[in-house]
Amino acid sequence: MNAGLNGPGRSFLRIPAGWARPRMRACLVWLILMAALLVPGLASAGEPNRAGLVVQFADGHAETICIEFEEDEITGSDLLIRSGLEAVVDPSSGLGIIVCRLEGQGCDYPAEACFCQCSGSGPCAYWNYFYREPGQDSWTYAALGALRHKARPGSVDAWVWGDGSTLPAAELTFEVVCPSPTPAATQFVTSTPQEPVPPVTAVTSAPTPEPTQTQPVEPPASLPTPTPKGPDISSYWLFGGLVLILAFAGVVVWLRTKE
Amino acid sequence: MFHTLTWVIWLVAAAVPAFTLRNPLYQVLILGASWIVYLALGRTSPVGRSWGTFVRIGVMFVAVAVVFNALSSHYGTIILFRLPQAWPIVGGPITLEAAIAGAVNGLGLLTILVVFATFNAVVDHYQLLRATPAFAFQVGTVISIAITFVPQMVLSATEIRQAQRIRGHRFRGIRDLLPLVMPLLATSLERAIQLAETMEARGFATVLHPDSLESTHRRALLAQAGLLAALLGLLAGLFLLTFVAGGTIWGLGLLILSIAGMGIVLWGQGQQVRRSRYRRVRWRSHDTLVAIACGITLAAVIAGKLATPQMMTYSPYPPNSLLPPFNPYVGAALLLLALPAVRWQVSTSESEQTTEPEGIQP
């Protein structure tokens, strides 16, 4: 600054500068925050992206689902949720999710441990997480959990019940899982050794953004929430009664001991 | 008052469900029962004043757990709001399920804290120390001295502070504490030396059979070696059980053997100590009643765990329902934990007419 500047001019310059500096800084921070918020939102436009999902059970048969999404990329857990499969997960570690049970195979999580077949010595079985980036030849065992791993358009995620040594079938590429460019949810079953499941394939539905899962026995509209998990509401009346008894006893004791 | 053993049984019956039942409905019932016991029996004791502090700490745990879990666990279908994905750990959807799961975790901690705070408030610490098993008598003595030392030190600190203030000293900063700390240190050391002399005069930690000094030493060495071997066996058994395939039977066998060995060693050490009771607390009918009630609670919790395991836990995440399941039998059994309060209220209202004699017999 000019050293000759003094008097009223100096104070005139100084006061607004001192007043504005924290404001400016705050504005800048807000701008950066807003930009961080907006940038992922701006990019989503155009036709929906697709990624594949493979679930391979203990008997070797696999289900494949093709899932559409509007975003640039979604997490592996979002892929799992949007597939409509019945997935029981344990997110309590705070570092990500562990899949305990998929479509009835696995551990009944809140009641038993999530790695119920891996406790103690002996063989271990759990839901392994693999992925295949677009154009990748082989499956990769995921180093990150499903909450952190990003599924990009053209990639395939796979869940395999096993001890980590069983890889998903190599021929399940993205082109196989999501064969047609028509925006439709497809599902088919491939069978490996002695599994006489006929390949049920490609039942299409209306081009909704939500992928509808087609299963031979169940109507697709029904939500995959199992009914036995919902508690009996009538037992809540009993709980209310117990709480009332406790509250009454507490008030009586409190009044008696106050004297 | 109730017998010390009764309170230990109550603690086991309240702490086992508090640790194992991860379900907010049962936790609320345990909290309520503990609160009533505290109200009825714990408010008069000097330690009872810390009960409120424990509750405040527990409520803080709940708040922290809600925020932490909601920010870190991004799983669930009911999305409250979204943070940008680019943010390191907190980025992503913030779900209601994650917040609820955090609250349930915090509630579990609060329940455990309140159960132990209630036990702390209602139990007589000196009676509890007298009930230490014979092999741990030295530890028991040390703890009882420590417990009496702290109030004594607080008392002498107050005295010294008052004396210094009369002399015109003002305590304003850390530097002003020096005239408080130095005399306090001196008094404490003096008291410790006095205590050591007193204990030596009464024969603490001396040889029990002076005619056979050699054999006593050998016996002590043998006991320590036996304890070490048993502990190593325990470790090896756990290792076999956990990490070695097909080692289940060997591991279990080693575990049982080590525990038995440890029991024998400790029992042998306990035999060395002769104890006499001066004032014995009588076990009365209401102690039996409360112990039976606690046994019923414990049995109901274990039976519920075995018969309906999915009703004992709770996970708000999909595909589970947001509403926790509830087994009314276990809930009613948990209510029995409040029995000491009710029984004591009834007995005090009776004694208002008859003036019951003290429960301590000489």
Side-chain angles (χ1 to χ4, degrees):
Chain A
M1 287 305 269
N2 196 345
L5 204 66
N6 58 359
R10 195 170 152 196
S11 69
F12 172 76
L13 271 177
R14 229 168 130 194
I15 291 162
W19 168 82
R21 219 172 280 142
R23 271 275 173 107
M24 291 257 287
R25 213 176 294 152
C27 277
L28 205 66
V29 168
W30 272 112
L31 270 176
I32 291 168
L33 283 184
M34 286 294 129
L37 276 168
L38 284 176
V39 163
L42 282 173
S44 63
E47 64 179 44
N49 298 311
R50 295 188 304 159
L53 185 69
V54 176
V55 178
Q56 190 168 312
F57 295 93
D59 54 7
H61 92 273
E63 279 185 27
T64 66
I65 302 163
C66 187
I67 291 145
E68 293 174 358
F69 49 93
E70 302 281 321
E71 300 90 332
D72 273 354
E73 51 178 26
I74 61 172
T75 62
S77 77
D78 273 341
L79 209 62
L80 204 56
I81 291 175
R82 292 182 201 190
S83 73
L85 294 172
E86 191 208 322
V88 176
V89 306
D90 171 15
S92 64
S93 74
L95 293 169
I97 63 164
I98 314 165
V99 173
C100 314
R101 191 178 168 92
L102 266 177
E103 292 290 285
Q105 172 123 55
C107 308
D108 190 11
Y109 159 58
E112 56 185 3
C114 192
F115 285 111
C116 63
Q117 300 207 17
C118 285
S119 56
S121 53
C124 174
Y126 64 101
W127 279 107
N128 303 273
Y129 184 37
F130 293 90
Y131 64 84
R132 194 174 214 172
E133 294 291 343
Q136 196 181 329
D137 284 337
S138 58
W139 291 99
T140 312
Y141 185 89
L144 291 173
L147 206 61
R148 303 274 168 240
H149 178 251
K150 296 289 185 336
R152 296 212 296 267
S155 70
V156 189
D157 277 16
W159 293 92
V160 180
W161 180 256
D163 58 357
S165 62
T166 321
L167 262 67
E171 70 268 16
L172 292 172
T173 58
F174 177 71
E175 286 72 30
V176 176
V177 178
C178 296
S180 62
T182 52
T186 28
Q187 179 202 9
F188 66 98
V189 178
T190 56
S191 59
T192 37
Q194 78 264 51
E195 186 59 31
V197 182
V200 187
T201 45
V203 185
T204 56
S205 65
T208 49
E210 278 261 324
T212 46
Q213 195 201 351
T214 51
Q215 283 183 338
V217 277
E218 219 178 307
S222 73
L223 276 167
T225 43
T227 37
K229 290 281 179 190
D232 188 10
I233 298 296
S234 64
S235 67
Y236 281 22
W237 289 105
L238 290 162
F239 173 71
L242 294 179
V243 169
L244 270 183
I245 293 170
L246 268 182
F248 177 72
V251 167
V252 167
V253 167
W254 188 64
L255 286 177
R256 285 184 53 105
T257 50
K258 213 171 68 169
E259 292 151 11
Chain B
M1 285 299 275
F2 286 93
H3 198 274
T4 313
L5 189 61
T6 315
W7 284 125
V8 173
I9 293 169
W10 183 88
L11 178 69
V12 170
V16 165
F19 273 108
T20 55
L21 302 186
R22 189 154 275 216
N23 183 323
L25 301 182
Y26 304 122
Q27 283 165 352
V28 164
L29 290 178
I30 298 168
L31 275 178
S34 306
W35 172 64
I36 290 174
V37 170
Y38 161 74
L39 276 185
L41 293 153
R43 275 204 293 185
T44 48
S45 83
V47 193
R49 251 168 269 147
S50 64
W51 195 84
T53 319
F54 275 105
V55 172
R56 249 170 274 139
I57 292 170
V59 170
M60 211 178 63
F61 276 150
V62 175
V64 169
V66 167
V67 173
F68 187 81
N69 208 50
L71 286 178
S72 68
S73 163
H74 302 283
Y75 196 76
T77 47
I78 306 167
I79 293 162
L80 300 174
F81 57 92
R82 281 175 185 279
L83 293 175
Q85 282 286 354
W87 291 9
I89 286 162
V90 298
I94 305 298
T95 63
L96 180 67
E97 287 99 332
I100 291 175
V104 171
N105 285 349
L107 196 66
L109 282 174
L110 174 69
T111 312
I112 291 165
L113 268 179
V114 165
V115 164
F116 277 91
T118 307
F119 175 74
N120 227 358
V122 294
V123 82
D124 184 346
H125 289 90
Y126 294 103
Q127 295 288 348
L128 193 66
L129 277 169
R130 278 195 211 173
T132 47
F135 65 84
F137 84 103
Q138 288 182 343
V139 179
T141 313
V142 170
I143 292 173
S144 69
I145 289 166
I147 281 181
T148 40
F149 236 66
V150 173
Q152 277 176 353
M153 213 172 92
V154 171
L155 196 72
S156 61
T158 326
E159 279 172 1
I160 294 164
R161 210 185 54 176
Q162 281 173 354
Q164 298 284 30
R165 286 176 91 172
I166 286 167
R167 287 174 194 145
H169 187 79
R170 287 186 190 173
F171 293 98
R172 275 175 300 204
I174 294 171
R175 218 175 264 204
D176 298 334
L177 286 179
L178 199 65
L180 174 69
V181 171
M182 287 308 292
L184 193 61
L185 206 64
T187 16
S188 300
L189 275 175
E190 206 169 311
R191 191 173 292 143
I193 290 165
Q194 269 178 11
L195 185 80
E197 282 170 357
T198 318
M199 282 170 76
E200 209 170 334
R202 291 180 189 182
F204 181 77
T206 47
V207 180
L208 290 165
H209 307 289
D211 49 329
S212 58
L213 190 79
E214 192 75 10
S215 78
T216 312
H217 273 299
R218 209 179 308 129
R219 193 191 279 270
L221 208 65
L222 202 69
Q224 279 171 358
L227 212 59
L228 187 70
L231 285 172
L232 283 177
L234 213 63
L235 192 68
L238 280 175
F239 186 81
L240 275 179
L241 206 63
T242 324
F243 294 112
V244 178
T248 317
I249 293 170
W250 285 103
L252 270 180
L254 203 55
L255 275 185
I256 292 167
L257 214 68
S258 317
I259 290 170
M262 202 187 288
I264 289 168
V265 169
L266 292 180
W267 180 80
Q269 274 193 319
Q271 290 302 103
Q272 296 285 300
V273 183
R274 247 250 195 103
R275 300 176 118 191
S276 58
R277 306 258 175 208
Y278 174 49
R279 277 148 70 100
R280 206 174 282 247
V281 179
R282 213 188 299 163
W283 180 273
R284 293 190 293 181
S285 62
H286 59 228
D287 290 311
T288 316
L289 192 74
V290 169
I292 289 171
C294 288
I296 291 171
T297 307
L298 214 53
V301 168
I302 293 167
K305 271 288 223 193
L306 291 177
T308 55
Q310 66 279 354
M311 280 185 133
M312 298 291 113
T313 51
Y314 168 65
S315 166
Y317 295 104
N320 301 318
S321 162
L322 271 184
L323 299 171
F326 184 64
N327 185 338
Y329 299 108
V330 177
L334 287 175
L335 224 58
L336 286 176
L337 290 173
L339 191 70
V342 179
R343 184 66 189 82
W344 190 248
Q345 285 297 304
V346 172
S347 71
T348 46
S349 66
E350 276 169 6
S351 69
E352 270 166 22
Q353 286 101 37
T354 56
T355 57
E356 208 176 308
E358 272 286 295
I360 296 167
Q361 80 170 25

